[in-house]
Amino acid sequence: MEQINIFSGKKTISHILVENGLDGLSVALGTYDRVYVVMDNAVAMCCPAAGQIAEILNARSIPGMLVEAHESTKTMDTVMTICSWLLEQGADRDALVVAVGGGITSDMVGFAASIYKRGVRFAYVPTTLLSQVDAAIGGKTGVNFERYKNILGVIRQPEFTYICPQLLVSLSERDFLSGVAEMLKTFIIEDNENYYDAVGLLSDMNMEHCSRMSAGEDEVESWQECVEKYSGELLKLICEAAKVKAGVVSRDQYEKDERRKLNLGHTFAHAIETLAQRRPDGNDVTHGEAVAMGILLAAELSERYAKQDEAWMEICDYDLHKRLTDDFLSIGLPVNCPYRIEDMAEVMKKDKKAEAGKVHFVLPAAVGDVRIVDFTVDEILSLMA
Ligand code: GLY
């Protein structure tokens, strides 16, 4: 098992445990007296490893509850339901509350644990690639409120995050690729070697999956077999992405500076997701798909900015947009944003991250080199129009 630590100064504040199996989870839970598990209902129904997790819980008579984890249920109501259940169970200040599920589950459970009895300990067992490389690391918790995503919440670190790639085998290709976008984002921020390794592996997986389907194999089975076949290489990449994120969070836990870089692609992505939700046919984009399109738009903005800013011209890789587009295409990520820049700008103006009219925009100069540049939304609009 690999262990990655998150620090605050010299103090370890959270552990990330990575193992291709669940034995280590049983050991990790064994060190706590009072454990309570909150699991995403969809994981309990569909994830083959949920049975193994249930065995671990039953062996120690650990109580569990199920939650519906969707954007629409990511609310204070669900947080209060979790708190009521903890009260019913008699959970005390020595409790460890464990979230089993994707980012929505961990955000809600982390928040509930952070306010229950003024804060009890919590841990995460992320079951999506997106949460293994991003959401379950770094302590951002929260829920949606009124028309804002994640507007109520706290930054508070889990005791540990247990990452097991075996849990990913039942993910659909689309959900898997959603996590891939966040993984590539993490590497683009500061690690070009792993970025290229990831692109190589993921395009091989995509090619193999496509040729199996052309040979008449079932789409779902073919995808699951590809994930299983490449699970060793995936484990290494997930671990490397977790290391990058752990490093960023250790240096800037409260997102005053460097952690903002983890929002690469997200200014556009949030606008894309908002516009997708307004469509009469409903939300038609995953978070990762929006992030992939957002990263490409950010790369385009970078190239356009270089034409008018000499300092940026010095550091900007002029092939970045094309290179990323080719890479994303080879992996199967979407590359064409269906929305007009004018419509995205309208949404950006209302984003909670636009402080005093300025967006701390994460601008990629090259793979492995991104910087924060403050733009107004109107400046973004005039550069992209
Ligand atoms: N998902 C971005 C962050 O944790 O800061």
Side-chain angles (χ1 to χ4, degrees):
M1 173 157 51
E2 176 123 21
Q3 178 169 329
I4 303 157
N5 294 328
I6 297 184
F7 299 96
S8 170
K10 289 199 171 127
K11 192 168 166 248
T12 302
I13 50 171
S14 188
H15 305 287
I16 301 163
L17 309 170
V18 189
E19 187 176 70
N20 216 2
L22 291 167
D23 292 348
L25 176 63
S26 178
V27 175
L29 292 178
T31 59
Y32 296 87
D33 285 337
R34 309 277 293 169
V35 180
Y36 302 85
V37 169
V38 182
M39 188 185 279
D40 175 0
N41 191 26
V43 170
M45 306 289 281
C46 304
C47 177
Q52 269 174 278
I53 296 177
E55 274 173 35
I56 294 172
L57 305 185
N58 290 339
R60 296 197 48 230
S61 307
I62 293 172
M65 82 171 282
L66 296 174
V67 286
E68 292 299 327
H70 311 285
E71 280 303 330
S72 61
T73 57
K74 191 179 178 184
T75 59
M76 280 310 287
D77 281 353
T78 309
V79 166
M80 287 191 285
T81 306
I82 296 169
C83 291
S84 301
W85 178 73
L86 290 171
L87 266 180
E88 266 163 43
Q89 295 295 319
D92 225 323
R93 288 197 42 81
D94 61 354
L96 176 79
V97 187
V98 182
V100 181
I104 295 179
T105 310
S106 54
D107 276 11
M108 293 194 293
V109 174
F111 188 39
S114 298
I115 57 174
Y116 180 75
K117 300 209 169 172
R118 296 203 176 93
V120 296
R121 295 171 296 181
F122 59 97
Y124 294 149
V125 182
T127 56
T128 62
L129 180 58
L130 192 148
S131 55
Q132 292 191 349
V133 296
D134 191 46
I137 300 172
K140 281 189 180 174
T141 74
V143 294
N144 305 330
F145 183 60
E146 304 219 326
R147 59 193 172 84
Y148 296 101
K149 274 183 80 167
N150 303 326
I151 193 81
L152 303 179
V154 294
I155 293 182
R156 191 160 171 270
Q157 299 302 326
E159 288 279 296
F160 64 83
T161 297
Y162 190 87
I163 296 180
C164 169
Q166 266 176 23
L167 298 174
L168 306 180
V169 172
S170 57
L171 282 187
S172 68
E173 182 186 5
R174 198 167 176 211
D175 286 340
F176 186 90
L177 285 179
S178 184
V180 162
E182 290 284 9
M183 180 159 80
L184 294 179
K185 171 209 80 178
T186 308
F187 292 143
I188 292 169
I189 287 166
E190 65 165 47
D191 189 339
N192 59 13
E193 216 171 287
N194 277 308
Y195 172 81
Y196 290 113
D197 285 352
V199 170
L201 174 74
L202 294 159
S203 37
D204 285 353
M205 272 176 78
N206 188 35
M207 240 180 336
E208 181 164 337
H209 175 53
C210 291
S211 62
R212 279 167 175 248
M213 283 199 305
S214 338
E217 274 191 43
D218 174 72
E219 187 175 346
V220 174
E221 267 173 36
S222 151
W223 180 252
Q224 290 183 348
E225 278 170 25
C226 283
V227 174
E228 250 161 15
K229 176 171 167 189
Y230 292 97
S231 66
E233 289 97 323
L234 283 171
L235 176 80
K236 182 181 159 287
L237 287 171
I238 292 169
C239 213
E240 293 302 320
K243 279 183 198 162
V244 173
K245 179 143 187 196
V248 173
V249 173
S250 295
R251 292 186 292 275
D252 179 24
Q253 188 183 175
Y254 294 106
E255 198 172 314
K256 299 284 176 230
D257 179 26
E258 185 186 350
R259 187 167 179 172
R260 287 185 178 142
K261 289 184 181 175
L262 290 167
N263 295 325
L264 172 64
H266 283 63
T267 306
F268 285 118
H270 288 150
I272 291 168
E273 286 175 291
T274 305
L275 293 170
Q277 270 160 12
R278 287 185 196 160
R279 286 161 63 120
D281 53 356
N283 187 357
D284 170 45
V285 69
T286 66
H287 179 63
E289 287 166 349
V291 169
M293 291 185 264
I295 293 172
L296 295 179
L297 288 165
E300 194 179 331
L301 183 71
S302 169
E303 288 177 14
R304 288 172 182 235
Y305 183 52
K307 291 193 183 123
Q308 67 174 54
D309 185 280
E310 272 184 34
W312 193 259
M313 189 173 15
E314 296 283 311
I315 58 165
C316 178
D317 169 0
Y318 273 90
D319 277 338
L320 184 66
H321 181 254
K322 179 173 180 339
R323 180 169 317 157
L324 294 179
T325 305
D326 291 347
D327 292 345
F328 288 10
L329 268 175
S330 73
I331 288 168
L333 287 168
V335 296
N336 294 315
C337 174
Y339 301 108
R340 292 176 343 127
I341 183 66
E342 291 78 5
D343 296 333
M344 289 191 274
E346 273 312 303
V347 177
M348 279 179 211
K349 284 184 180 163
K350 295 183 183 136
D351 194 306
K352 70 177 189 293
K353 288 199 167 84
E355 281 168 22
K358 290 260 181 194
V359 180
H360 301 301
F361 196 89
V362 189
L363 204 58
V367 173
D369 182 6
V370 307
R371 318 268 172 114
I372 312 290
V373 179
D374 285 352
F375 287 123
T376 63
V377 174
D378 286 333
E379 282 165 343
I380 295 174
L381 183 59
S382 77
L383 278 163
M384 295 295 281

